[in-house]
mmCIF file of all heavy atoms in Angstrom:
data_model
loop_
_atom_site.group_PDB
_atom_site.id
_atom_site.type_symbol
_atom_site.label_atom_id
_atom_site.label_comp_id
_atom_site.label_asym_id
_atom_site.label_seq_id
_atom_site.Cartn_x
_atom_site.Cartn_y
_atom_site.Cartn_z
ATOM 1 N N ILE A 1 115.501 90.889 117.138
ATOM 2 C CA ILE A 1 114.749 90.365 118.274
ATOM 3 C C ILE A 1 115.661 90.164 119.475
ATOM 4 O O ILE A 1 115.303 90.487 120.615
ATOM 5 C CB ILE A 1 114.057 89.039 117.893
ATOM 6 C CG1 ILE A 1 113.013 89.287 116.794
ATOM 7 C CG2 ILE A 1 113.397 88.397 119.101
ATOM 8 C CD1 ILE A 1 111.886 90.206 117.197
ATOM 9 N N PHE A 2 116.872 89.648 119.210
ATOM 10 C CA PHE A 2 117.817 89.447 120.311
ATOM 11 C C PHE A 2 118.141 90.763 121.009
ATOM 12 O O PHE A 2 118.158 90.850 122.241
ATOM 13 C CB PHE A 2 119.104 88.801 119.804
ATOM 14 C CG PHE A 2 120.228 88.851 120.822
ATOM 15 C CD1 PHE A 2 120.275 87.971 121.877
ATOM 16 C CD2 PHE A 2 121.206 89.836 120.727
ATOM 17 C CE1 PHE A 2 121.281 88.052 122.819
ATOM 18 C CE2 PHE A 2 122.220 89.915 121.670
ATOM 19 C CZ PHE A 2 122.254 89.017 122.720
ATOM 20 N N LEU A 3 118.411 91.808 120.229
ATOM 21 C CA LEU A 3 118.781 93.096 120.812
ATOM 22 C C LEU A 3 117.653 93.674 121.648
ATOM 23 O O LEU A 3 117.882 94.259 122.711
ATOM 24 C CB LEU A 3 119.177 94.072 119.701
ATOM 25 C CG LEU A 3 120.513 93.777 119.002
ATOM 26 C CD1 LEU A 3 120.722 94.734 117.837
ATOM 27 C CD2 LEU A 3 121.666 93.880 119.976
ATOM 28 N N VAL A 4 116.408 93.515 121.174
ATOM 29 C CA VAL A 4 115.260 94.001 121.948
ATOM 30 C C VAL A 4 115.132 93.211 123.240
ATOM 31 O O VAL A 4 114.969 93.766 124.329
ATOM 32 C CB VAL A 4 113.963 93.897 121.105
ATOM 33 C CG1 VAL A 4 112.749 94.201 121.966
ATOM 34 C CG2 VAL A 4 114.014 94.857 119.927
ATOM 35 N N GLU A 5 115.219 91.881 123.126
ATOM 36 C CA GLU A 5 115.053 91.004 124.288
ATOM 37 C C GLU A 5 116.133 91.253 125.335
ATOM 38 O O GLU A 5 115.864 91.226 126.549
ATOM 39 C CB GLU A 5 115.093 89.545 123.828
ATOM 40 C CG GLU A 5 114.818 88.547 124.937
ATOM 41 C CD GLU A 5 114.870 87.121 124.433
ATOM 42 O OE1 GLU A 5 115.751 86.811 123.623
ATOM 43 O OE2 GLU A 5 114.011 86.335 124.850
ATOM 44 N N ALA A 6 117.363 91.509 124.865
ATOM 45 C CA ALA A 6 118.481 91.705 125.793
ATOM 46 C C ALA A 6 118.569 93.132 126.327
ATOM 47 O O ALA A 6 119.440 93.439 127.131
ATOM 48 C CB ALA A 6 119.792 91.335 125.089
ATOM 49 N N GLY A 7 117.682 94.008 125.857
ATOM 50 C CA GLY A 7 117.711 95.388 126.325
ATOM 51 C C GLY A 7 118.814 96.210 125.709
ATOM 52 O O GLY A 7 119.170 97.279 126.209
ATOM 53 N N LYS A 8 119.400 95.721 124.589
ATOM 54 C CA LYS A 8 120.477 96.450 123.931
ATOM 55 C C LYS A 8 119.968 97.517 122.973
ATOM 56 O O LYS A 8 120.719 98.384 122.546
ATOM 57 C CB LYS A 8 121.367 95.471 123.151
ATOM 58 C CG LYS A 8 122.028 94.403 124.011
ATOM 59 C CD LYS A 8 123.071 94.986 124.913
ATOM 60 C CE LYS A 8 123.816 93.900 125.670
ATOM 61 N NZ LYS A 8 124.808 94.478 126.616
ATOM 62 N N THR A 9 118.717 97.404 122.598
ATOM 63 C CA THR A 9 118.150 98.380 121.681
ATOM 64 C C THR A 9 116.667 98.517 121.976
ATOM 65 O O THR A 9 116.065 97.660 122.631
ATOM 66 C CB THR A 9 118.370 97.963 120.220
ATOM 67 O OG1 THR A 9 118.012 99.035 119.354
ATOM 68 C CG2 THR A 9 117.519 96.745 119.857
ATOM 69 N N ARG A 10 116.072 99.600 121.498
ATOM 70 C CA ARG A 10 114.657 99.840 121.744
ATOM 71 C C ARG A 10 113.911 99.771 120.416
ATOM 72 O O ARG A 10 114.317 100.375 119.437
ATOM 73 C CB ARG A 10 114.459 101.201 122.409
ATOM 74 C CG ARG A 10 115.211 101.261 123.728
ATOM 75 C CD ARG A 10 114.974 102.529 124.507
ATOM 76 N NE ARG A 10 115.827 102.512 125.681
ATOM 77 C CZ ARG A 10 115.547 101.825 126.791
ATOM 78 N NH1 ARG A 10 114.439 101.126 126.864
ATOM 79 N NH2 ARG A 10 116.379 101.821 127.811
ATOM 80 N N PRO A 11 112.823 99.021 120.386
ATOM 81 C CA PRO A 11 112.131 98.781 119.118
ATOM 82 C C PRO A 11 111.384 100.004 118.614
ATOM 83 O O PRO A 11 110.909 100.821 119.404
ATOM 84 C CB PRO A 11 111.159 97.649 119.451
ATOM 85 C CG PRO A 11 110.876 97.827 120.912
ATOM 86 C CD PRO A 11 112.164 98.326 121.509
ATOM 87 N N SER A 12 111.278 100.088 117.298
ATOM 88 C CA SER A 12 110.427 101.110 116.695
ATOM 89 C C SER A 12 108.973 100.714 116.911
ATOM 90 O O SER A 12 108.657 99.587 117.317
ATOM 91 C CB SER A 12 110.717 101.215 115.196
ATOM 92 O OG SER A 12 110.315 100.017 114.550
ATOM 93 N N MET A 13 108.070 101.640 116.617
ATOM 94 C CA MET A 13 106.656 101.352 116.795
ATOM 95 C C MET A 13 106.225 100.199 115.889
ATOM 96 O O MET A 13 105.426 99.342 116.288
ATOM 97 C CB MET A 13 105.829 102.602 116.498
ATOM 98 C CG MET A 13 104.381 102.497 116.980
ATOM 99 S SD MET A 13 104.261 102.234 118.767
ATOM 100 C CE MET A 13 104.814 103.815 119.379
ATOM 101 N N ARG A 14 106.766 100.142 114.674
ATOM 102 C CA ARG A 14 106.414 99.055 113.766
ATOM 103 C C ARG A 14 106.874 97.716 114.326
ATOM 104 O O ARG A 14 106.140 96.718 114.276
ATOM 105 C CB ARG A 14 107.065 99.306 112.394
ATOM 106 C CG ARG A 14 106.915 98.160 111.394
ATOM 107 C CD ARG A 14 105.479 97.831 111.116
ATOM 108 N NE ARG A 14 105.353 96.761 110.129
ATOM 109 C CZ ARG A 14 104.292 95.995 110.011
ATOM 110 N NH1 ARG A 14 103.249 96.156 110.821
ATOM 111 N NH2 ARG A 14 104.249 95.053 109.080
ATOM 112 N N THR A 15 108.099 97.690 114.897
ATOM 113 C CA THR A 15 108.602 96.447 115.502
ATOM 114 C C THR A 15 107.725 96.038 116.672
ATOM 115 O O THR A 15 107.401 94.855 116.836
ATOM 116 C CB THR A 15 110.056 96.625 115.954
ATOM 117 O OG1 THR A 15 110.861 96.955 114.823
ATOM 118 C CG2 THR A 15 110.595 95.363 116.609
ATOM 119 N N LEU A 16 107.311 97.000 117.492
ATOM 120 C CA LEU A 16 106.422 96.702 118.617
ATOM 121 C C LEU A 16 105.104 96.103 118.137
ATOM 122 O O LEU A 16 104.561 95.177 118.750
ATOM 123 C CB LEU A 16 106.142 97.971 119.428
ATOM 124 C CG LEU A 16 107.166 98.370 120.494
ATOM 125 C CD1 LEU A 16 106.682 99.589 121.248
ATOM 126 C CD2 LEU A 16 107.406 97.220 121.462
ATOM 127 N N GLU A 17 104.577 96.646 117.054
ATOM 128 C CA GLU A 17 103.313 96.131 116.518
ATOM 129 C C GLU A 17 103.461 94.665 116.104
ATOM 130 O O GLU A 17 102.580 93.838 116.364
ATOM 131 C CB GLU A 17 102.876 96.967 115.319
ATOM 132 C CG GLU A 17 102.410 98.372 115.702
ATOM 133 C CD GLU A 17 102.151 99.255 114.486
ATOM 134 O OE1 GLU A 17 102.482 98.808 113.360
ATOM 135 O OE2 GLU A 17 101.640 100.367 114.663
ATOM 136 N N LEU A 18 104.597 94.328 115.457
ATOM 137 C CA LEU A 18 104.832 92.948 115.036
ATOM 138 C C LEU A 18 104.987 92.025 116.243
ATOM 139 O O LEU A 18 104.439 90.916 116.268
ATOM 140 C CB LEU A 18 106.078 92.880 114.148
ATOM 141 C CG LEU A 18 105.951 93.530 112.767
ATOM 142 C CD1 LEU A 18 107.320 93.641 112.107
ATOM 143 C CD2 LEU A 18 105.016 92.729 111.883
ATOM 144 N N ILE A 19 105.745 92.482 117.256
ATOM 145 C CA ILE A 19 105.936 91.669 118.463
ATOM 146 C C ILE A 19 104.599 91.461 119.169
ATOM 147 O O ILE A 19 104.280 90.355 119.628
ATOM 148 C CB ILE A 19 106.958 92.330 119.396
ATOM 149 C CG1 ILE A 19 108.353 92.286 118.759
ATOM 150 C CG2 ILE A 19 106.982 91.633 120.760
ATOM 151 C CD1 ILE A 19 109.421 93.041 119.537
ATOM 152 N N ALA A 20 103.811 92.530 119.252
ATOM 153 C CA ALA A 20 102.517 92.432 119.911
ATOM 154 C C ALA A 20 101.611 91.419 119.210
ATOM 155 O O ALA A 20 100.961 90.583 119.854
ATOM 156 C CB ALA A 20 101.842 93.807 119.953
ATOM 157 N N SER A 21 101.581 91.466 117.878
ATOM 158 C CA SER A 21 100.704 90.556 117.140
ATOM 159 C C SER A 21 101.137 89.104 117.308
ATOM 160 O O SER A 21 100.300 88.200 117.369
ATOM 161 C CB SER A 21 100.680 90.931 115.659
ATOM 162 O OG SER A 21 101.944 90.697 115.060
ATOM 163 N N ARG A 22 102.448 88.861 117.422
ATOM 164 C CA ARG A 22 102.942 87.485 117.503
ATOM 165 C C ARG A 22 102.938 86.928 118.922
ATOM 166 O O ARG A 22 103.073 85.717 119.112
ATOM 167 C CB ARG A 22 104.339 87.404 116.894
ATOM 168 C CG ARG A 22 104.272 87.526 115.371
ATOM 169 C CD ARG A 22 105.597 87.616 114.707
ATOM 170 N NE ARG A 22 105.366 87.873 113.267
ATOM 171 C CZ ARG A 22 106.187 88.517 112.478
ATOM 172 N NH1 ARG A 22 107.319 88.974 112.957
ATOM 173 N NH2 ARG A 22 105.899 88.715 111.209
ATOM 174 N N THR A 23 102.811 87.812 119.909
ATOM 175 C CA THR A 23 102.714 87.340 121.295
ATOM 176 C C THR A 23 101.276 87.355 121.787
ATOM 177 O O THR A 23 101.002 86.918 122.907
ATOM 178 C CB THR A 23 103.570 88.218 122.231
ATOM 179 O OG1 THR A 23 103.177 89.587 122.093
ATOM 180 C CG2 THR A 23 105.044 88.062 121.909
ATOM 181 N N GLY A 24 100.362 87.872 120.970
ATOM 182 C CA GLY A 24 98.958 87.906 121.355
ATOM 183 C C GLY A 24 98.648 88.951 122.409
ATOM 184 O O GLY A 24 97.627 88.873 123.097
ATOM 185 N N LYS A 25 99.525 89.946 122.549
ATOM 186 C CA LYS A 25 99.311 91.010 123.531
ATOM 187 C C LYS A 25 98.950 92.302 122.816
ATOM 188 O O LYS A 25 99.208 92.464 121.613
ATOM 189 C CB LYS A 25 100.565 91.218 124.391
ATOM 190 C CG LYS A 25 100.935 90.016 125.249
ATOM 191 C CD LYS A 25 102.169 90.303 126.081
ATOM 192 C CE LYS A 25 102.529 89.121 126.955
ATOM 193 N NZ LYS A 25 101.514 88.894 128.008
ATOM 194 N N SER A 26 98.384 93.230 123.557
ATOM 195 C CA SER A 26 98.041 94.519 122.970
ATOM 196 C C SER A 26 99.288 95.379 122.854
ATOM 197 O O SER A 26 100.244 95.206 123.624
ATOM 198 C CB SER A 26 97.004 95.242 123.832
ATOM 199 O OG SER A 26 97.585 95.635 125.068
ATOM 200 N N LEU A 27 99.280 96.296 121.902
ATOM 201 C CA LEU A 27 100.405 97.214 121.753
ATOM 202 C C LEU A 27 100.598 98.036 123.012
ATOM 203 O O LEU A 27 101.730 98.289 123.444
ATOM 204 C CB LEU A 27 100.162 98.127 120.544
ATOM 205 C CG LEU A 27 101.228 99.190 120.261
ATOM 206 C CD1 LEU A 27 102.555 98.530 119.916
ATOM 207 C CD2 LEU A 27 100.792 100.099 119.127
ATOM 208 N N GLN A 28 99.489 98.428 123.656
ATOM 209 C CA GLN A 28 99.562 99.273 124.839
ATOM 210 C C GLN A 28 100.329 98.603 125.971
ATOM 211 O O GLN A 28 100.987 99.267 126.769
ATOM 212 C CB GLN A 28 98.142 99.641 125.310
ATOM 213 C CG GLN A 28 98.090 100.733 126.364
ATOM 214 C CD GLN A 28 98.666 102.056 125.866
ATOM 215 O OE1 GLN A 28 98.519 102.384 124.701
ATOM 216 N NE2 GLN A 28 99.311 102.787 126.759
#
């Protein structure tokens, strides 16, 4: 999560799906 937040790495689609579900935002 830190690496994604800091822009050090780019999340996989599965990671994006998890982040989207926990932030209440759409994947799109």
Side-chain angles (χ1 to χ4, degrees):
I1 296 298
F2 167 79
L3 289 175
V4 172
E5 185 180 40
K8 300 291 185 183
T9 190
R10 301 185 185 281
S12 67
M13 194 60 69
R14 173 59 178 157
T15 300
L16 276 184
E17 289 172 352
L18 291 169
I19 292 174
S21 67
R22 287 173 186 151
T23 56
K25 296 181 179 292
S26 69
L27 178 64
Q28 191 62 35

